[in-house]
Amino acid sequence: MQIEFDSEVWRWAARTDAWFFVSVPEELSAEIHELPAPPRGFASLRVQARVGLTRWRTSIFYSGSAYILPLKRAVREAEGVGEGDTILVGLEILD
């Protein structure tokens, strides 16, 4: 499954160090959550993500009503994005 969506970059306030994420829209998250997937910690799914020209493999994590995608510092720096920016994200759900 491949999806694309716009989302705002946000900082996880529970940590003092800088952890940044984007949220997958709830409607898309519900579709993803229905996919058959092997059980993984934190209800995570392996994905290949894309922001701008940067691609990387990571996991998305289900958080109540939406999946969240962590944005590594290297990705944020390469694409010049920061907290509060709205970015276009591409995800491919991997097996």
Side-chain angles (χ1 to χ4, degrees):
M1 174 179 200
Q2 293 185 348
I3 59 172
E4 198 171 75
F5 58 92
D6 290 313
S7 187
E8 185 175 324
V9 177
W10 54 274
R11 179 191 287 242
W12 186 30
R15 302 276 307 216
T16 56
D17 46 348
W19 288 50
F20 293 88
F21 299 87
V22 293
S23 298
V24 178
E26 288 186 11
E27 186 174 298
L28 288 173
S29 290
E31 290 178 31
I32 294 168
H33 198 61
E34 294 298 319
L35 295 173
R40 293 176 46 97
F42 303 103
S44 65
L45 293 173
R46 293 177 348 131
V47 298
Q48 178 163 311
R50 177 185 40 80
V51 172
L53 298 175
T54 304
R55 293 180 184 269
W56 74 104
R57 287 186 179 220
T58 187
S59 293
I60 55 175
F61 303 89
Y62 198 66
S63 178
S65 60
Y67 280 94
I68 59 174
L69 169 71
L71 295 175
K72 301 188 306 184
R73 178 183 303 192
V75 173
R76 296 190 321 269
E77 289 177 354
E79 297 300 327
V81 299
E83 185 175 11
D85 291 343
T86 298
I87 60 173
L88 179 63
V89 178
L91 289 181
E92 178 182 355
I93 310 301
L94 304 173
D95 295 331

